[in-house]
Amino acid sequence: MYIGTTLTNYIIEAQRTIEGATGEFTGLLNDIAVACKKISDLVNKGDLVGILGTAGSENVQGEQQKKLDVISNEIFIEALAHNGHVAALASEEMDEIYHLPADYVRGKYLVLFDPLDGSSNIDVDVSVGTIFSILKAPPGVENPGTEDFLKPGVTQIAAGYCLYGPSTMMVLTTGSGVNMFTLDRDFGEFLLTHENVTIPEDTQEFAVNASNMRFWEPPVKRYIDECLAGKDGVRGKDFNMRWIASMVAEVHRILVRGGIFMYPSDSKLKAKGQDGKLRLMYEANPMSFIVEQANGMATNGRERIMTLTPQDIHQRVAVVLGSKNEVERLTSYHQA
Ligand code: AHM
Ligand code: MG
């Protein structure tokens, strides 16, 4: 591949590396790219097209849906359901699995997605993104059910995100490295701009919502305290901190310059019966796949995220990901 190659050409190549793949995989990734271009266009127009603000509804997580959450979800379904590449869909914004209407052609993939992650940032014009995870559908099943989706992250055949920032970027893995494509708006195509991205193993930058500090478990508190102690503490170096409240932007920064991101489990979340804030199947798993493919590491503080067997489509999980040596350190603190 060469810098400047189109996403379309790249995915035709990628398909050749997937056993048994026909044109369907290329078709599916194209559908996703189309959906992301449409969302990018709306995010970019913002208030000009009246799509900011809340939709007046709640999703299954009991969170206020933004107008753009709902619209982005519809755009994804419209782009993916018709074309015969998927067998069913699941989304952060839908309580249940989306089953294809009876007269639609069934494809061989299942897609889980968060159509607009970090949507609390929309109204303040800060980066948001779309996250997706692709699984193989069980062969010969007309209407896959929840149990067909509940597979560990290691079974993902592709994952990616689209970042709607100052520029729109599609970041993709099909299991052989991570590549980044930048949307050329004039040309209407994503073009390869960063090939085989790798995350530095060491970092001096962490990302966490520190307002939750009093609820953290001791290993997380210890890790952050040691970072904050800087040069004079046990780490012997100063750390920098970032928190965008948009996981896509956070992971993107880590892919570009390294870092550790965490949304740990805490006593406040536990009191609500949640083991973490982020969703395993359409946030943590796809991001873990990308991070691992870029030489990083992703755990829930104890175990590798991608080996966890999901119990529920909307299951939450603690997340620690990014530069290997820091993720290893924090994970080892949980075992101490
Ligand atoms: P969302 O899917 O409802 O947008 O929530 C996920 C987002 C992540 O992008 C981000 O890391 C996190 O929530 C921020 O949470 P907080 O507002 O608690 O800092
Ligand atoms: Mg989300």
Side-chain angles (χ1 to χ4, degrees):
M1 283 299 148
Y2 56 93
I3 296 299
T5 195
T6 63
L7 176 64
T8 315
N9 282 346
Y10 166 82
I11 52 193
I12 289 171
E13 279 298 314
Q15 176 170 294
R16 298 202 177 112
T17 66
I18 294 173
E19 210 185 291
T22 57
E24 241 178 272
F25 185 67
T26 305
L28 171 58
L29 289 179
N30 268 321
D31 295 343
I32 291 174
V34 168
C36 291
K37 282 189 228 175
K38 287 188 177 168
I39 297 170
S40 171
D41 186 51
L42 285 178
V43 169
N44 192 250
K45 291 202 169 96
D47 244 352
L48 294 176
V49 286
I51 36 83
L52 303 188
T54 53
S57 50
E58 283 187 353
N59 65 13
V60 66
Q61 345 266 335
E63 297 156 344
Q64 270 283 333
Q65 288 178 304
K66 300 275 182 189
K67 281 187 208 163
L68 254 184
D69 282 326
V70 176
I71 298 169
S72 304
N73 192 55
E74 283 163 5
I75 289 175
F76 244 76
I77 292 173
E78 198 181 288
L80 266 62
H82 292 269
N83 296 347
H85 307 137
V86 297
L89 301 169
S91 158
E92 175 172 338
E93 303 305 333
M94 296 186 288
D95 301 5
E96 306 291 337
I97 285 164
Y98 176 86
H99 296 288
L100 301 190
D103 56 335
Y104 283 22
V105 177
R106 267 65 181 152
K108 54 182 179 199
Y109 298 105
L110 302 176
V111 182
L112 296 114
F113 55 94
D114 179 353
L116 205 61
D117 184 60
S119 50
S120 70
N121 280 330
I122 298 170
D123 293 351
V124 291
D125 212 9
V126 170
S127 298
V128 287
T130 295
I131 312 172
F132 57 90
S133 163
I134 304 177
L135 303 172
K136 274 237 166 82
V141 178
E142 175 78 4
N143 279 315
T146 305
E147 65 288 357
D148 298 308
F149 280 85
L150 299 180
K151 306 286 180 225
V154 287
T155 65
Q156 294 173 101
I157 59 159
Y161 64 78
C162 189
L163 171 67
Y164 311 113
S167 55
T168 290
M169 297 195 69
M170 177 74 83
V171 175
L172 191 64
T173 185
T174 55
S176 47
V178 178
N179 291 298
M180 296 183 171
F181 302 81
T182 306
L183 181 63
D184 184 324
R185 290 183 202 278
D186 299 329
F187 198 40
E189 267 280 12
F190 285 101
L191 304 178
L192 182 64
T193 43
H194 300 68
E195 214 179 358
N196 283 323
V197 180
T198 55
I199 301 172
E201 293 188 353
D202 290 302
T203 182
Q204 286 174 236
E205 192 163 70
F206 66 86
V208 70
N209 184 339
S211 72
N212 295 321
M213 190 175 285
R214 67 191 185 283
F215 304 114
W216 291 342
E217 291 174 354
V220 178
K221 180 96 176 48
R222 172 184 170 193
Y223 177 81
I224 297 296
D225 281 348
E226 289 179 359
C227 291
L228 294 176
K231 263 204 198 86
D232 304 330
V234 289
R235 300 301 309 273
K237 54 184 185 179
D238 289 334
F239 279 77
N240 187 26
M241 195 199 90
R242 286 287 181 274
W243 188 248
I244 308 173
S246 184
M247 191 194 197
V248 176
E250 228 86 66
V251 169
H252 194 73
R253 183 187 62 251
I254 287 173
L255 285 171
V256 172
R257 68 177 191 210
I260 177 170
F261 165 91
M262 70 205 84
Y263 210 117
S265 175
D266 66 37
S267 58
K268 189 170 83 178
L269 293 166
K270 285 226 165 84
K272 289 195 272 180
Q274 296 171 3
D275 197 23
K277 173 178 177 184
L278 300 173
R279 276 48 61 115
L280 173 61
M281 295 211 69
Y282 41 79
E283 294 176 334
N285 269 340
M287 290 311 202
S288 299
F289 193 14
I290 292 168
V291 164
E292 286 193 8
Q293 282 294 315
N295 194 41
M297 189 173 167
T299 75
N300 63 355
R302 293 172 171 85
E303 293 166 88
R304 185 181 170 207
I305 286 175
M306 289 217 290
T307 57
L308 302 173
T309 303
Q311 311 294 322
D312 183 275
I313 298 269
H314 299 290
Q315 180 175 333
R316 296 179 190 255
V317 68
V319 175
V320 180
L321 58 76
S323 292
K324 217 179 231 168
N325 291 339
E326 293 301 311
V327 177
E328 248 166 23
R329 175 183 284 266
L330 177 50
T331 304
S332 74
Y333 286 4
H334 283 80
Q335 282 138 12

